[in-house]
Amino acid sequence: MSWNVLYKPTFLKDLAHLPPTIRSKVEEFVFQDLPQASNPYAEKGVEKLTGFRDYYKVRFGDYRLGLHIDKKTKTVECCRILHRKDLYRHFP
């Protein structure tokens, strides 16, 4: 069974407000790399958030992508993409 990638509406709204250079990198990672990954934990840049069980982050310059990875259902949920100063206030 492959991994399912889900996109929250808040993530899509955040994505629309990103600078074009960062947005292209994020779109490539989220829409191309993640759906093809056999193991999302091994993807380049995926780091566990300290103090949270199934929450991870990926760095894109000064922006951070917040992910929720559920091993049981094999789903990766893209929750938020915000500037690093704002992400930890709104995610998880």
Side-chain angles (χ1 to χ4, degrees):
M1 182 177 168
S2 64
W3 290 79
N4 294 325
V5 181
L6 306 173
Y7 308 102
K8 282 192 159 188
T10 53
F11 165 75
L12 297 173
K13 187 181 271 188
D14 294 340
L15 187 62
H17 293 99
L18 291 179
T21 56
I22 301 294
R23 182 178 177 173
S24 64
K25 292 176 186 176
V26 173
E27 286 177 345
E28 180 181 340
F29 179 80
V30 170
F31 298 123
Q32 293 175 11
D33 297 343
L34 270 184
Q36 296 174 1
S38 60
N39 181 6
Y41 300 103
E43 282 297 305
K44 184 179 179 183
V46 176
E47 300 175 19
K48 186 166 181 5
L49 275 180
T50 306
F52 297 97
R53 187 168 208 186
D54 296 327
Y55 291 95
Y56 295 81
K57 68 178 177 182
V58 183
R59 294 182 197 174
F60 294 96
D62 286 340
Y63 290 84
R64 304 291 184 264
L65 168 63
L67 298 172
H68 178 255
I69 302 176
D70 189 355
K71 199 179 238 182
K72 291 180 184 176
T73 60
K74 288 200 164 194
T75 58
V76 178
E77 188 173 29
C78 298
C79 299
R80 300 297 302 256
I81 178 79
L82 295 168
H83 193 274
R84 62 186 175 89
K85 69 177 181 176
D86 297 324
L87 179 71
Y88 305 108
R89 283 186 239 166
H90 302 288
F91 176 78

